[in-house]
Amino acid sequence: MQTSLLNTDPVAAVLDTWVFIFQMTAYMERPALKQKLGESYPVVAETLRNMDAEMEQLVRLGAPAANVADLRQRVGAWAEAHPVQGSLVARQSVDPDVIRKVGESDLGMTTSIKTLAEGLGDLRARLDSYNVYLPKQARWQAELLLTDFTHDPQISAALSNLAVLSDSAAKASGKLDQMPELVDQTRKAFKADVDGELLSAEAFLREERLATLYALQQERIATMDAMHGERLATTEQISQERRAAMEALRGQEIAAMNEFEAMSKRAIQDLDTRGRGLINLFFLRALELMLLMLVLCALLAWVILRRFVPSPR
């Protein structure tokens, strides 16, 4: 509760505290806890109701223009969706998106509550708050310890622990004046840690970048080797296919030449056969003409002889 209330962002402090009250109410209503608390449960329930009412009153006073009903519904819905798992220490705080949406939708509440940030945002104001709450927290822890003592059979040991706790509380109260110096030392140590973490992160990022570049280079080399191998394999395959195509073309050419030669031989033989037949036919026709000429010559000679040669008396 103290961590939620002392948030530097007043809107986040209000929402986270109210969500914590809703979560704690649901957590305390578990049957196992009810049975464990026994007769003390009504006191716990009444205390949670009072805390809820005080929180709502605080919101109304700090932000008169806020839509409290809508804000209460949102906070309750978020707390119901994110219940406490295991213990109250491990409970989940409000998401930044929820704070941003509430700030955007309830501007009147945001404007009013933001004015409180000037007081709580200062480190000295926070230390004053710590000065007020640390003794109360020590007293509350002492009261809880005393309550446990009443149920503990080893009361003497518990009393000695109470004395030690009182001494620790006194030492803590005496060291409250040294809080600014401690805070300054803590700030310097935190800054040194942040600087160291930053340098470590830069070194880690540099190493990661070099490793990534080396890995990319190796991948590029492997890719180039693979592409070279693929190119050689493709070239060899193309050469084989070209040789096979040339052999196939040569075979087709040889087959075509053989077929052409066979066709030529058949054509020559056919021409020779036809030529022989034509020659024979020519000689037959010539012989017939010669015989016809002989017959005509003989007939002509007979006619001449018959006309000019006198017949015997």
Side-chain angles (χ1 to χ4, degrees):
M1 178 68 74
Q2 178 178 327
T3 303
S4 300
L5 286 173
L6 293 178
N7 197 321
T8 56
D9 187 357
V11 177
V14 170
L15 294 179
D16 195 23
T17 304
W18 211 350
V19 164
F20 175 67
I21 293 173
F22 277 99
Q23 289 176 337
M24 190 160 54
T25 302
Y27 180 78
M28 291 300 177
E29 289 180 354
R30 294 182 178 182
L33 283 176
K34 281 185 178 181
Q35 184 179 2
K36 186 176 181 180
L37 292 174
E39 298 179 356
S40 301
Y41 175 75
V43 179
V44 175
E46 181 66 23
T47 303
L48 291 174
R49 285 193 294 270
N50 293 335
M51 292 169 67
D52 187 11
E54 290 180 2
M55 198 67 206
E56 182 176 351
Q57 184 66 23
L58 176 62
V59 173
R60 292 183 184 276
L61 291 175
N67 189 355
V68 180
D70 181 68
L71 181 61
R72 183 183 185 87
Q73 190 272 333
R74 289 189 182 187
V75 171
W78 195 93
E80 185 178 357
H82 301 80
V84 176
Q85 301 292 339
S87 64
L88 294 175
V89 179
R91 69 107 185 178
Q92 187 174 357
S93 300
V94 182
D95 293 335
D97 292 338
V98 177
I99 298 173
R100 179 180 54 81
K101 291 178 181 179
V102 171
E104 292 176 355
S105 60
D106 298 328
L107 293 178
M109 182 199 68
T110 304
T111 305
S112 300
I113 294 180
K114 280 292 184 181
T115 57
L116 299 177
E118 298 177 356
L120 291 179
D122 186 70
L123 182 60
R124 293 187 178 276
R126 292 174 61 86
L127 290 176
D128 293 338
S129 301
Y130 289 146
N131 293 335
V132 173
Y133 280 101
L134 282 177
K136 292 183 179 181
Q137 187 174 358
R139 180 173 59 84
W140 295 336
Q141 292 178 355
E143 290 178 355
L144 290 176
L145 186 60
L146 289 175
T147 304
D148 293 337
F149 285 163
T150 58
H151 299 85
D152 193 348
Q154 298 179 353
I155 299 176
S156 59
L159 291 176
S160 62
N161 292 333
L162 180 60
V164 173
L165 180 61
S166 299
D167 294 338
S168 300
K171 292 179 181 179
S173 299
K175 291 183 179 180
L176 287 177
D177 295 334
Q178 302 176 359
M179 286 297 291
E181 291 80 4
L182 294 176
V183 170
D184 185 62
Q185 294 176 1
T186 303
R187 182 180 60 81
K188 292 180 180 178
F190 180 74
K191 185 177 182 300
D193 292 338
V194 170
D195 293 338
E197 291 292 335
L198 182 60
L199 293 176
S200 300
E202 290 178 354
F204 176 75
L205 290 175
R206 188 180 300 107
E207 292 177 358
E208 288 293 328
R209 182 173 62 85
L210 292 176
T212 303
L213 291 176
Y214 179 75
L216 288 175
Q217 184 179 4
Q218 295 299 321
E219 290 290 336
R220 184 176 64 83
I221 294 173
T223 304
M224 293 298 294
D225 292 339
M227 291 178 64
H228 182 68
E230 291 290 336
R231 183 173 62 83
L232 293 178
T234 304
T235 305
E236 181 66 24
Q237 186 177 3
I238 292 174
S239 300
Q240 293 178 359
E241 292 179 355
R242 184 175 62 83
R243 286 195 295 270
M246 293 297 295
E247 291 177 358
L249 289 174
R250 189 178 296 108
Q252 292 178 2
E253 183 181 0
I254 293 172
M257 292 297 294
N258 293 332
E259 185 177 359
F260 179 76
E261 185 177 359
M263 290 177 63
S264 300
K265 288 181 179 180
R266 287 195 300 268
I268 292 172
Q269 291 177 0
D270 190 15
L271 290 175
D272 183 62
T273 303
R274 290 184 180 183
R276 289 177 182 275
L278 290 174
I279 291 172
N280 292 332
L281 181 62
F282 176 74
F283 279 109
L284 288 175
R285 292 288 184 270
L287 182 61
E288 289 177 355
L289 289 174
M290 290 177 65
L291 290 175
L292 181 61
M293 289 296 293
L294 289 174
V295 171
L296 290 175
C297 289
L299 181 61
L300 181 61
W302 181 76
V303 171
I304 293 172
L305 290 176
R306 187 173 181 84
R307 185 174 180 180
F308 291 101
V309 176
S311 60
R313 296 293 183 174

